[in-house]
Coordinates of all heavy atoms in Angstrom, one line a residue:
A1 N 115.0 104.0 80.9 CA 113.8 104.8 81.2 C 114.2 106.2 81.0 O 115.3 106.6 81.0 CB 113.5 104.6 82.7
M2 N 113.2 107.0 80.7 CA 113.4 108.4 80.4 C 112.5 109.3 81.2 O 111.3 109.0 81.3 CB 113.2 108.7 78.9 CG 113.5 110.2 78.5 SD 113.5 110.5 76.8 CE 115.1 109.9 76.3
L3 N 113.1 110.4 81.7 CA 112.3 111.4 82.4 C 112.3 112.7 81.5 O 113.3 113.1 81.1 CB 113.1 111.7 83.7 CG 112.6 112.9 84.6 CD1 111.2 112.5 85.2 CD2 113.6 113.2 85.6
V4 N 111.1 113.2 81.3 CA 111.0 114.4 80.4 C 110.3 115.4 81.3 O 109.2 115.2 81.9 CB 110.1 114.1 79.2 CG1 109.9 115.4 78.4 CG2 110.8 113.0 78.3
R5 N 110.9 116.6 81.3 CA 110.3 117.7 82.1 C 109.5 118.6 81.2 O 110.0 119.3 80.3 CB 111.4 118.5 82.8 CG 112.1 117.8 83.9 CD 113.1 118.7 84.5 NE 113.8 118.0 85.6 CZ 113.5 118.1 86.9 NH1 112.5 118.8 87.3 NH2 114.2 117.4 87.8
A6 N 108.2 118.5 81.3 CA 107.3 119.2 80.4 C 107.5 120.7 80.5 O 107.7 121.2 81.6 CB 105.8 118.9 80.7
G7 N 107.5 121.4 79.4 CA 107.7 122.8 79.4 C 109.1 123.3 79.4 O 109.4 124.4 79.2
E8 N 110.0 122.4 79.8 CA 111.5 122.8 79.9 C 112.3 122.3 78.7 O 113.4 122.7 78.5 CB 112.1 122.2 81.2 CG 111.5 122.8 82.5 CD 112.1 122.2 83.7 OE1 113.2 121.6 83.6 OE2 111.5 122.3 84.8
G9 N 111.7 121.3 78.0 CA 112.4 120.7 76.9 C 113.6 119.9 77.3 O 114.5 119.6 76.5
A10 N 113.7 119.5 78.6 CA 114.8 118.8 79.1 C 114.4 117.3 79.3 O 113.3 117.0 79.6 CB 115.3 119.3 80.4
S11 N 115.4 116.4 79.1 CA 115.1 115.0 79.3 C 116.3 114.4 80.0 O 117.4 114.9 79.9 CB 114.8 114.3 78.0 OG 115.9 114.3 77.2
H12 N 116.1 113.3 80.6 CA 117.2 112.6 81.4 C 116.9 111.1 81.2 O 115.8 110.6 81.5 CB 117.2 112.9 82.8 CG 118.2 112.2 83.7 ND1 119.5 112.5 83.7 CD2 118.0 111.1 84.5 CE1 120.1 111.7 84.5 NE2 119.3 110.9 85.0
S13 N 117.8 110.3 80.7 CA 117.6 108.9 80.5 C 118.6 108.1 81.4 O 119.7 108.5 81.7 CB 117.8 108.5 79.0 OG 119.1 108.7 78.6
V14 N 118.1 106.9 81.7 CA 118.8 106.0 82.6 C 118.8 104.6 81.9 O 117.7 104.1 81.7 CB 118.2 105.9 84.0 CG1 119.0 104.9 84.8 CG2 118.3 107.3 84.7
G15 N 119.9 104.0 81.7 CA 120.0 102.7 81.1 C 119.9 101.7 82.2 O 120.3 101.9 83.4
A16 N 119.4 100.5 81.9 CA 119.3 99.4 82.9 C 120.7 98.7 83.1 O 121.4 98.5 82.1 CB 118.3 98.4 82.5
P17 N 121.0 98.4 84.3 CA 122.2 97.7 84.5 C 122.1 96.2 84.0 O 121.0 95.7 83.8 CB 122.4 97.7 86.1 CG 121.0 97.8 86.6 CD 120.3 98.7 85.6
K18 N 123.3 95.6 83.8 CA 123.2 94.2 83.4 C 122.5 93.4 84.5 O 122.7 93.6 85.7 CB 124.7 93.6 83.3 CG 125.4 94.2 82.1 CD 125.5 93.2 81.1 CE 126.3 93.8 79.9 NZ 126.0 93.2 78.7
T19 N 121.6 92.5 84.1 CA 120.7 91.8 85.0 C 120.6 90.4 84.5 O 120.5 90.1 83.3 CB 119.4 92.5 85.1 OG1 119.5 93.8 85.4 CG2 118.5 91.8 86.0
N20 N 120.5 89.4 85.4 CA 120.2 88.1 85.1 C 118.7 87.9 85.1 O 118.1 87.6 86.2 CB 120.9 87.1 86.1 CG 120.6 85.7 85.8 OD1 120.4 85.3 84.7 ND2 120.7 84.8 86.9
V21 N 118.1 88.2 84.0 CA 116.6 88.2 83.9 C 116.0 86.8 84.0 O 116.4 85.9 83.1 CB 116.1 88.9 82.7 CG1 114.6 88.9 82.5 CG2 116.6 90.3 82.7
V22 N 115.1 86.5 84.9 CA 114.4 85.3 84.9 C 112.9 85.5 84.8 O 112.2 84.6 84.4 CB 114.7 84.4 86.2 CG1 116.2 84.1 86.2 CG2 114.3 85.2 87.5
D23 N 112.4 86.7 85.2 CA 111.0 86.9 85.1 C 110.7 88.4 85.1 O 111.2 89.1 86.1 CB 110.3 86.3 86.3 CG 108.7 86.4 86.3 OD1 108.2 87.0 85.3 OD2 108.1 85.8 87.2
T24 N 110.0 89.0 84.2 CA 109.8 90.4 84.1 C 108.4 90.8 84.6 O 108.0 92.0 84.4 CB 110.0 90.9 82.6 OG1 109.0 90.3 81.8 CG2 111.4 90.7 82.1
T25 N 107.7 89.9 85.2 CA 106.3 90.1 85.7 C 106.2 91.5 86.4 O 105.2 92.2 86.2 CB 105.9 89.0 86.6 OG1 105.9 87.8 85.8 CG2 104.4 89.2 87.1
D26 N 107.0 91.8 87.3 CA 106.8 92.9 88.2 C 107.7 94.1 87.9 O 107.8 95.1 88.7 CB 107.1 92.5 89.7 CG 106.5 93.5 90.7 OD1 105.5 94.1 90.5 OD2 107.2 93.7 91.7
A27 N 108.4 94.1 86.8 CA 109.4 95.2 86.5 C 108.7 96.6 86.4 O 109.2 97.5 87.0 CB 110.1 94.9 85.2
G28 N 107.6 96.7 85.7 CA 106.9 98.0 85.6 C 106.4 98.5 86.8 O 106.5 99.7 87.2
D29 N 105.7 97.6 87.6 CA 105.1 98.0 88.9 C 106.2 98.5 89.8 O 106.1 99.4 90.6 CB 104.3 96.9 89.5 CG 103.0 96.7 88.7 OD1 102.6 97.5 88.0 OD2 102.5 95.6 88.9
T30 N 107.3 97.7 89.8 CA 108.4 98.1 90.7 C 109.0 99.4 90.3 O 109.3 100.2 91.2 CB 109.5 97.0 90.7 OG1 109.0 95.7 91.1 CG2 110.7 97.3 91.5
L31 N 109.2 99.7 89.0 CA 109.8 100.9 88.6 C 108.9 102.1 89.0 O 109.4 103.0 89.6 CB 109.9 100.9 87.0 CG 110.5 102.2 86.5 CD1 111.9 102.0 86.2 CD2 109.7 102.7 85.3
V32 N 107.6 102.0 88.8 CA 106.7 103.1 89.2 C 106.6 103.3 90.7 O 106.7 104.4 91.2 CB 105.3 102.9 88.6 CG1 104.3 103.9 89.1 CG2 105.4 102.9 87.0
G33 N 106.5 102.2 91.4 CA 106.4 102.3 92.9 C 107.7 102.8 93.5 O 107.7 103.7 94.4
A34 N 108.9 102.4 93.0 CA 110.1 102.9 93.5 C 110.4 104.3 93.2 O 110.8 105.1 94.0 CB 111.3 102.0 93.0
F35 N 110.0 104.7 92.0 CA 110.1 106.1 91.6 C 109.3 107.0 92.5 O 109.8 108.0 93.0 CB 109.7 106.3 90.1 CG 109.9 107.7 89.6 CD1 111.1 108.2 89.4 CD2 108.8 108.5 89.3 CE1 111.3 109.5 88.9 CE2 108.9 109.8 88.8 CZ 110.2 110.3 88.6
A36 N 108.1 106.6 92.7 CA 107.2 107.4 93.6 C 107.8 107.5 95.0 O 107.8 108.5 95.7 CB 105.8 106.9 93.6
A37 N 108.2 106.3 95.5 CA 108.7 106.2 96.9 C 110.0 107.1 97.1 O 110.1 107.8 98.0 CB 109.0 104.8 97.2
F38 N 110.9 107.0 96.1 CA 112.1 107.8 96.2 C 111.9 109.3 96.1 O 112.5 110.1 96.7 CB 113.2 107.3 95.3 CG 113.8 106.0 95.7 CD1 113.7 104.9 94.9 CD2 114.5 105.9 96.9 CE1 114.3 103.7 95.3 CE2 115.1 104.7 97.3 CZ 115.0 103.6 96.6
L39 N 110.9 109.7 95.3 CA 110.5 111.1 95.2 C 110.0 111.6 96.5 O 110.3 112.7 97.0 CB 109.4 111.3 94.1 CG 109.9 111.3 92.7 CD1 108.7 111.5 91.8 CD2 110.9 112.5 92.4
T40 N 109.1 110.8 97.2 CA 108.6 111.2 98.5 C 109.6 111.2 99.6 O 109.5 111.9 100.6 CB 107.4 110.3 98.9 OG1 107.9 108.9 99.1 CG2 106.3 110.3 97.9
M41 N 110.8 110.5 99.4 CA 111.9 110.6 100.3 C 112.8 111.8 100.1 O 113.8 112.0 100.8 CB 112.7 109.3 100.2 CG 112.0 108.1 100.7 SD 113.1 106.7 100.4 CE 111.9 105.4 100.4
G42 N 112.4 112.6 99.1 CA 113.2 113.8 98.8 C 114.3 113.7 97.8 O 115.0 114.7 97.6
K43 N 114.3 112.6 97.1 CA 115.3 112.4 96.0 C 114.9 113.3 94.8 O 113.7 113.5 94.6 CB 115.4 111.0 95.6 CG 115.8 110.0 96.7 CD 117.3 110.2 97.1 CE 117.7 109.1 98.1 NZ 119.0 109.3 98.7
S44 N 115.9 113.8 94.1 CA 115.6 114.5 92.9 C 114.9 113.6 91.9 O 115.1 112.3 92.0 CB 116.8 115.1 92.3 OG 117.6 114.0 91.7
P45 N 114.2 114.1 90.9 CA 113.6 113.2 89.9 C 114.6 112.3 89.2 O 114.4 111.1 88.9 CB 112.8 114.1 89.0 CG 112.5 115.3 89.8 CD 113.7 115.5 90.8
E46 N 115.8 112.9 88.9 CA 116.8 112.1 88.2 C 117.3 111.0 89.1 O 117.5 109.9 88.6 CB 117.9 113.1 87.8 CG 117.5 114.1 86.7 CD 116.8 115.3 87.2 OE1 116.7 115.5 88.5 OE2 116.3 116.1 86.4
E47 N 117.6 111.3 90.3 CA 118.1 110.2 91.3 C 117.0 109.2 91.5 O 117.3 108.0 91.6 CB 118.6 110.9 92.6 CG 119.1 109.9 93.6 CD 120.4 109.2 93.2 OE1 120.9 109.4 92.1 OE2 120.8 108.3 93.9
A48 N 115.8 109.6 91.7 CA 114.7 108.7 91.9 C 114.5 107.8 90.7 O 114.3 106.6 90.9 CB 113.4 109.5 92.1
L49 N 114.7 108.3 89.5 CA 114.6 107.4 88.3 C 115.8 106.4 88.3 O 115.6 105.3 88.0 CB 114.6 108.3 87.0 CG 114.5 107.5 85.7 CD1 113.2 106.8 85.6 CD2 114.7 108.4 84.5
R50 N 117.0 106.9 88.6 CA 118.1 106.0 88.6 C 117.9 104.8 89.6 O 118.2 103.6 89.3 CB 119.4 106.7 89.0 CG 120.7 105.9 89.0 CD 121.9 106.8 89.4 NE 122.0 107.0 90.8 CZ 122.5 106.1 91.7 NH1 123.0 104.9 91.2 NH2 122.6 106.4 93.0
L51 N 117.4 105.2 90.8 CA 117.1 104.1 91.8 C 116.0 103.2 91.4 O 116.0 102.0 91.6 CB 116.9 104.8 93.1 CG 118.1 105.5 93.8 CD1 117.6 106.4 94.9 CD2 119.2 104.6 94.1
A52 N 115.0 103.8 90.8 CA 113.8 103.0 90.3 C 114.2 102.0 89.2 O 113.7 100.9 89.2 CB 112.7 103.9 89.8
V53 N 115.1 102.4 88.3 CA 115.6 101.5 87.3 C 116.4 100.4 87.9 O 116.2 99.2 87.5 CB 116.4 102.3 86.2 CG1 117.2 101.3 85.3 CG2 115.5 103.2 85.4
T54 N 117.2 100.7 88.9 CA 117.9 99.6 89.6 C 116.9 98.7 90.3 O 117.1 97.5 90.2 CB 118.8 100.3 90.7 OG1 119.8 101.1 90.0 CG2 119.6 99.2 91.5
A55 N 115.9 99.2 90.9 CA 114.9 98.4 91.6 C 114.2 97.5 90.6 O 114.0 96.3 90.8 CB 113.8 99.2 92.3
A56 N 113.8 98.0 89.5 CA 113.1 97.2 88.4 C 114.0 96.1 87.9 O 113.6 95.0 87.7 CB 112.6 98.1 87.3
S57 N 115.3 96.4 87.7 CA 116.2 95.4 87.3 C 116.4 94.3 88.3 O 116.4 93.1 87.9 CB 117.6 96.1 87.0 OG 117.5 97.0 86.0
L58 N 116.5 94.7 89.5 CA 116.6 93.6 90.6 C 115.3 92.8 90.6 O 115.4 91.5 90.9 CB 116.8 94.3 91.9 CG 118.2 94.9 92.1 CD1 118.2 95.8 93.4 CD2 119.3 93.9 92.1
A59 N 114.2 93.4 90.4 CA 112.9 92.6 90.4 C 112.9 91.5 89.3 O 112.2 90.5 89.5 CB 111.7 93.5 90.3
C60 N 113.6 91.8 88.2 CA 113.6 90.8 87.1 C 114.5 89.6 87.5 O 114.5 88.6 86.7 CB 114.2 91.5 85.9 SG 113.1 92.7 85.2
E61 N 115.3 89.6 88.5 CA 116.1 88.5 88.9 C 115.4 87.5 89.8 O 116.0 86.5 90.1 CB 117.4 89.1 89.7 CG 118.3 89.9 88.8 CD 119.5 90.4 89.5 OE1 119.6 90.3 90.7 OE2 120.4 90.9 88.8
G62 N 114.2 87.7 90.1 CA 113.4 86.7 90.9 C 112.1 86.4 90.2 O 111.7 87.0 89.2
Y63 N 111.5 85.4 90.7 CA 110.2 84.9 90.1 C 109.0 85.5 90.8 O 109.0 85.7 92.1 CB 110.1 83.4 90.2 CG 111.0 82.7 89.2 CD1 112.2 82.2 89.7 CD2 110.7 82.6 87.9 CE1 113.1 81.6 88.8 CE2 111.6 82.0 87.0 CZ 112.8 81.5 87.5 OH 113.7 80.9 86.6
G64 N 108.0 85.9 90.1 CA 106.7 86.4 90.7 C 106.7 87.9 90.8 O 107.7 88.6 90.4
A65 N 105.7 88.4 91.4 CA 105.5 89.8 91.5 C 106.0 90.3 92.9 O 107.1 90.8 93.0 CB 104.1 90.2 91.3
Q66 N 105.2 90.2 93.9 CA 105.6 90.7 95.2 C 106.9 90.1 95.7 O 107.7 90.8 96.4 CB 104.5 90.6 96.1 CG 103.2 91.4 95.8 CD 102.0 91.0 96.6 OE1 102.0 90.0 97.3 NE2 101.0 91.8 96.5
T67 N 107.1 88.8 95.5 CA 108.2 88.2 96.1 C 109.5 88.6 95.5 O 110.6 88.5 96.1 CB 108.1 86.6 96.0 OG1 107.9 86.3 94.6 CG2 106.9 86.1 96.7
A68 N 109.5 89.1 94.2 CA 110.7 89.5 93.6 C 111.1 91.0 93.8 O 112.2 91.4 93.5 CB 110.6 89.3 92.1
M69 N 110.1 91.8 94.3 CA 110.4 93.2 94.6 C 111.4 93.4 95.6 O 111.3 92.9 96.7 CB 109.1 93.9 95.0 CG 109.1 95.4 94.9 SD 107.5 96.2 95.3 CE 106.6 95.7 93.9
P70 N 112.5 94.1 95.3 CA 113.6 94.3 96.2 C 113.3 95.3 97.3 O 112.5 96.2 97.2 CB 114.8 94.8 95.3 CG 114.0 95.6 94.3 CD 112.8 94.8 94.0
T71 N 114.0 95.1 98.4 CA 113.9 96.1 99.5 C 114.6 97.4 99.2 O 115.5 97.4 98.3 CB 114.5 95.5 100.8 OG1 115.9 95.3 100.6 CG2 113.8 94.2 101.3
Q72 N 114.3 98.4 99.9 CA 115.0 99.7 99.7 C 116.5 99.5 100.0 O 117.4 100.0 99.2 CB 114.5 100.7 100.7 CG 115.2 102.1 100.6 CD 114.7 103.1 101.6 OE1 113.6 103.0 102.2 NE2 115.5 104.1 101.9
E73 N 116.9 98.7 101.0 CA 118.3 98.5 101.3 C 119.0 97.8 100.2 O 120.1 98.2 99.8 CB 118.4 97.7 102.6 CG 118.0 98.4 103.8 CD 116.4 98.5 104.0 OE1 115.7 97.7 103.4 OE2 116.0 99.4 104.8
K74 N 118.4 96.8 99.6 CA 119.0 96.1 98.5 C 119.1 97.0 97.2 O 120.2 97.0 96.6 CB 118.1 94.9 98.1 CG 118.8 94.0 97.1 CD 118.0 92.7 96.9 CE 118.7 91.8 95.9 NZ 118.0 90.5 95.7
V75 N 118.2 97.9 97.0 CA 118.3 98.8 95.9 C 119.4 99.8 96.1 O 120.2 100.0 95.2 CB 116.9 99.6 95.7 CG1 117.1 100.7 94.6 CG2 115.8 98.7 95.3
L76 N 119.5 100.4 97.3 CA 120.6 101.3 97.6 C 121.9 100.7 97.5 O 122.9 101.3 97.0 CB 120.3 102.0 98.9 CG 119.1 102.9 99.0 CD1 118.9 103.3 100.5 CD2 119.1 104.0 98.1
A77 N 122.1 99.5 98.0 CA 123.3 98.8 97.9 C 123.7 98.5 96.4 O 124.9 98.7 96.0 CB 123.3 97.5 98.7
A78 N 122.8 98.1 95.6 CA 123.1 97.7 94.2 C 123.3 99.0 93.4 O 124.1 98.9 92.4 CB 121.9 97.0 93.6
A79 N 122.7 100.1 93.8 CA 122.9 101.3 93.0 C 124.2 102.0 93.3 O 124.7 102.8 92.5 CB 121.7 102.3 93.3
G80 N 124.8 101.7 94.4 CA 126.1 102.2 94.8 C 126.1 103.6 95.2 O 125.6 104.5 95.1

C-alpha cells in the first residue's frame, strides 16, 4: 500500500507481510477501516498505514468478510 501526501511530493509505501491467504473478500474494507480507525486514535498516517496493511493481511487468513476481520489487539500483536 502507498501513502502519498498531496502537495508535498512525499510518499510512503508498506509491503504486506507473509500471509497464509485463504480468502481476500474483506481485505480492502479492512485496510480502509483500520487505516481510518488508527488515524482517529492519533497514529501518524505512516503508522496507521502499517497497521492497516497488517490488519488486511490478517483478514485474508480467514473466510468471509466480517468474521475474518481481526481485532485491534490481534493487529497490534501481529504488527509488533
Side-chain angles (χ1 to χ4, degrees):
M2 182 172 281
L3 172 70
V4 177
R5 292 181 180 262
E8 296 180 20
S11 65
H12 178 77
S13 63
V14 176
K18 292 256 184 206
T19 304
N20 181 26
V21 177
V22 296
D23 185 0
T24 62
T25 300
D26 195 39
D29 290 341
T30 299
L31 181 100
V32 172
F35 183 68
F38 285 117
L39 282 176
T40 63
M41 291 177 202
K43 302 290 186 189
S44 71
E46 293 81 7
E47 179 66 2
L49 182 63
R50 184 180 78 83
L51 294 169
V53 167
T54 300
S57 296
L58 290 170
C60 292
E61 293 181 347
Y63 290 100
Q66 295 171 346
T67 56
M69 193 175 288
T71 63
Q72 177 184 343
E73 291 78 19
K74 188 172 181 178
V75 172
L76 294 174

